[in-house]
Amino acid sequence: MGGSVAGALLLPGVQASRVPPEVEVVRIRDAPGCPGSGELPTPGNISSTRTAILCLLNRARAEHGLAPLTRNSSLELASQRHSEDMARRDFYEHDTPEGLAPISRMASAGYPTGTASVGENIHWGRDVNATPVRDDLLVEPHAGQTVVDLAYRNDGRPTALVAAARAAGCEVVDGYEALVRQGAASFTLWTALPAPVEAMRSALGLAS
């Protein structure tokens, strides 16, 4: 079954002069077949950014045998309004401070929500994490990256991300090691004592 998508939550009112210089020059490679997906969103390329996001979504859906999404002007209006509202009032939630839920905002923008099943994704990021292609950097690791995976398998085998990252020559912090480091940081925070890191690793069955 196909569906509709809003596009992107972008802020055309943000002036380039307010963006740190190191952010303005960010440029990574586009995902194959999705022009502009490696560009940092700006007020000047808001339309092409939305097109790139839709391209990436539909490329992923095609890989899983799913029908493509199409753009919907009402959903796009609802998402743009919410994006600007979050920036103006400094909050980051699906519901507004007054409790207005996504489905209500979509209805107010003219989307027929009566029999619709709706969902919403929001994302904030800067530098490479603000580009449409950012998720491709995680699923297509390459040498020179440091990959941290917070997930782990009960059987101790590496996750697909960790396996791919190691094969690509990345520096890898897997889910177990991330768990140990988080636990150690919490231990020290609450006790003001050095964490027994090796004992924690041993408890998880990890080699020193």
Side-chain angles (χ1 to χ4, degrees):
M1 179 178 295
S4 299
V5 64
L9 298 177
L10 301 175
L11 301 176
V14 176
Q15 299 301 314
S17 60
R18 298 181 61 184
V19 179
E22 67 273 15
V23 176
E24 293 186 56
V25 299
V26 169
R27 184 69 172 87
I28 60 175
R29 67 183 186 280
D30 291 341
C34 295
S37 56
E39 294 182 0
L40 185 72
T42 68
N45 67 6
I46 186 170
S47 179
S48 61
T49 296
R50 287 175 172 149
T51 299
I53 291 174
L54 181 59
C55 177
L56 292 171
L57 286 171
N58 283 335
R59 189 180 72 159
R61 289 176 65 86
E63 291 173 355
H64 292 84
L66 299 174
L69 298 173
T70 59
R71 289 176 67 166
N72 180 281
S73 59
S74 295
L75 292 178
E76 199 162 276
L77 175 61
S79 71
Q80 189 64 53
R81 286 174 175 173
H82 189 55
S83 178
E84 293 173 1
D85 189 28
M86 287 191 293
R88 183 174 60 253
R89 296 198 286 171
D90 193 24
F91 72 98
Y92 185 66
E93 302 287 345
H94 290 285
D95 293 355
T96 67
E98 298 79 21
L100 195 64
I103 193 169
S104 298
R105 293 189 282 99
M106 295 173 192
S108 296
Y111 189 74
T113 58
T115 59
S117 175
V118 303
E120 178 181 67
N121 290 315
I122 58 177
H123 171 72
W124 179 91
R126 58 170 291 169
D127 297 341
V128 69
N129 289 316
T131 65
V133 79
R134 66 182 187 88
D135 288 332
D136 279 44
L137 297 179
L138 299 181
V139 299
E140 297 177 7
H142 56 270
Q145 290 179 319
T146 298
V147 174
V148 179
D149 191 357
L150 299 183
Y152 53 86
R153 298 169 57 107
N154 289 336
D155 59 11
R157 291 189 298 156
T159 63
L161 174 60
V162 166
R166 286 174 176 164
C170 301
E171 180 179 349
V172 176
V173 177
D174 65 17
Y176 285 108
E177 183 61 25
L179 179 62
V180 168
R181 296 188 188 186
Q182 289 173 336
S186 295
F187 183 93
T188 300
L189 176 66
W190 289 104
T191 67
L193 298 172
V197 175
E198 293 309 316
M200 298 168 88
R201 287 199 176 102
S202 177
L204 291 174
L206 305 178
S208 300

